[in-house]
Amino acid sequence: MITDGCFMLEIMRTVTSGEKNNGYAPDDPIFSIHRLEYIAPYIKRDMLLLENQLPLLVLYQLVAIANDGKEDNVNELIGKFCFPHEKKEFKGLDSCLHVMDVFRQGLLMGPKEVEDVRKEQDPRPQGHSEEAEPIIRSANEFSEAGIKFEKSKTRSLKDISFGGVLKLPLFMVDDTTESMFLNVMTFERLHINAGNEVTSYVAFMDKIINNEEDVALLHTEGIIQNNFGSDKAVADLFNSLCTDVTLPFNKNLDDVQQKISKHCKTRWNIWRANLNHNYFKSPWTILSLIAAFFLFALTIIQTVYTLLSYY
């Protein structure tokens, strides 16, 4: 544990220092700047495996020993390492169990937002709400019903809202996404007080992503950054994450789903969705519809002239 803890602290220190010369030889197989550019993402992935977690108390004690009794903010160091391009404030976090716990709270944190994300569980049964279960359609079906998509103001996975426009946080999908989500979701399942926000986010995305067309729409709206592969690969990824997973109850997302379901059930939006699906799906159907209206207009004009000539 001491060896692993020292290695983790040194990796995070060298990666986040931003120094061109970190004190290691240019040909060092691990800590050279050139080498760290390639292996740091994979070290981060391994650090987030549930079976690789060290008690954060070990890192606290190692830092205190290295600083002659002065405790440095380990949470902030982990935050800078895991979220290098985001301005998140980790100084106010406490009572974290390990690196994954800090990382999970970072996923749910907006810029300069410090809060305890461990909420009390809702007393209602998981997966059920007081109202009837809403029908969640895919992103393209939302679009056909007149629902627009926008990026949320933050990248917090909790920042999902609906008020005629469905706002979702920007999320980047890459080779480490599957491993990260599976481990964080397992952590939420195993620890009663951890919360279920990440699992709820993945379940919601699984519902609105059915195929590559849904991914392409969300990518066009700037909600999903695809560094993983094809749009189909991203769709398959989200569809596989919730296999055999009991979907948790989340009050915020349940409210969003109820509002979306109510919006889609209004008569005008049903007609609009049917028109978009049946007549505006391709240029040929649009041309056919225009031609039909044109012929109908000509028929009316001909009928009017016939009546006028008769009278």
Side-chain angles (χ1 to χ4, degrees):
M1 291 173 63
I2 293 176
T3 303
D4 289 346
C6 291
F7 176 78
M8 291 167 60
L9 288 171
E10 186 63 7
I11 280 288
M12 291 189 292
R13 184 191 69 81
T14 52
V15 170
T16 59
S17 64
E19 299 175 359
K20 295 183 178 180
N21 183 9
N22 58 12
Y24 288 93
D27 58 348
D28 188 280
I30 299 294
F31 292 98
S32 65
I33 295 176
H34 174 74
R35 186 64 176 160
L36 280 177
E37 290 179 354
Y38 291 94
I39 67 173
Y42 301 100
I43 292 176
K44 171 186 170 183
R45 180 192 62 187
D46 291 343
M47 286 172 59
L48 295 176
L49 293 177
L50 198 59
E51 61 268 26
N52 286 346
Q53 298 307 304
L54 282 177
L56 215 57
L57 180 61
V58 174
L59 300 185
Y60 292 152
Q61 294 298 323
L62 290 174
V63 169
I65 293 172
N67 294 340
D68 295 327
K70 297 179 181 179
E71 290 191 9
D72 199 1
N73 197 305
V74 178
N75 292 341
E76 188 175 10
L77 181 64
I78 296 171
K80 288 181 180 179
F81 178 72
C82 293
F83 304 95
H85 305 298
E86 300 180 44
K87 295 181 179 180
K88 296 177 182 286
E89 186 63 66
F90 288 84
K91 289 183 179 180
L93 294 181
D94 53 9
S95 303
C96 294
L97 301 175
H98 37 59
V99 172
M100 179 187 287
D101 195 5
V102 178
F103 175 76
R104 176 188 170 275
Q105 296 194 47
L107 287 175
L108 306 174
M109 186 186 299
K112 297 183 179 180
E113 173 189 5
V114 180
E115 61 179 351
D116 185 4
V117 297
R118 293 191 177 95
K119 306 293 185 181
E120 291 186 5
Q121 295 296 313
D122 194 282
R124 288 175 286 180
Q126 289 188 349
H128 294 82
S129 60
E130 293 176 351
E131 301 180 21
E133 197 72 24
I135 299 175
I136 302 300
R137 299 170 173 83
S138 66
N140 272 284
E141 289 178 310
F142 285 166
S143 181
E144 290 175 357
I147 296 177
K148 296 183 179 181
F149 295 84
E150 286 184 7
K151 285 191 300 184
S152 302
K153 293 182 179 180
T154 73
R155 297 184 66 168
S156 169
L157 300 189
K158 299 187 301 180
D159 196 358
I160 299 176
S161 60
F162 178 75
V165 176
L166 181 57
K167 296 184 178 181
L168 297 167
L170 169 66
F171 188 81
M172 184 178 70
V173 181
D174 56 26
D175 293 335
T176 65
T177 300
E178 181 178 16
S179 173
M180 179 272 292
F181 271 140
L182 288 175
N183 281 275
V184 175
M185 291 165 65
T186 303
F187 170 68
E188 290 187 342
R189 291 290 91 192
L190 294 177
H191 293 268
I192 297 175
N193 295 324
N196 57 32
E197 289 85 358
V198 175
T199 304
S200 299
Y201 167 80
V202 175
F204 184 80
M205 295 301 290
D206 176 37
K207 290 177 181 178
I208 68 173
I209 294 177
N210 287 342
N211 50 46
E212 59 269 27
E213 294 179 357
D214 299 317
V215 176
L217 174 60
L218 295 176
H219 175 73
T220 302
E221 299 297 336
I223 294 169
I224 288 182
Q225 286 185 354
N226 185 3
N227 292 341
F228 182 60
S230 64
D231 290 338
K232 185 178 185 304
V234 175
D236 292 340
L237 171 63
F238 277 101
N239 295 156
S240 65
L241 287 172
C242 288
T243 303
D244 297 328
V245 173
T246 302
L247 301 183
F249 173 81
N250 183 282
K251 187 178 186 306
N252 178 54
L253 284 180
D254 186 68
D255 291 341
V256 169
Q257 293 176 16
Q258 293 288 353
K259 291 177 181 178
I260 293 174
S261 183
K262 183 177 180 180
H263 174 91
C264 293
K265 287 179 181 178
T266 58
R267 183 172 299 178
W268 163 245
N269 289 319
I270 292 175
W271 291 346
R272 179 173 182 169
N274 288 332
L275 283 173
N276 287 330
H277 184 76
N278 296 322
Y279 299 105
F280 299 117
K281 199 71 174 179
S282 69
W284 298 113
T285 55
I286 295 175
L287 289 175
S288 300
L289 185 64
I290 293 174
F293 274 116
F294 183 69
L295 291 175
F296 182 68
L298 289 178
T299 302
I300 292 176
I301 293 173
Q302 183 180 13
T303 303
V304 171
Y305 272 103
T306 301
L307 291 174
L308 290 176
S309 62
Y310 174 79
Y311 285 108

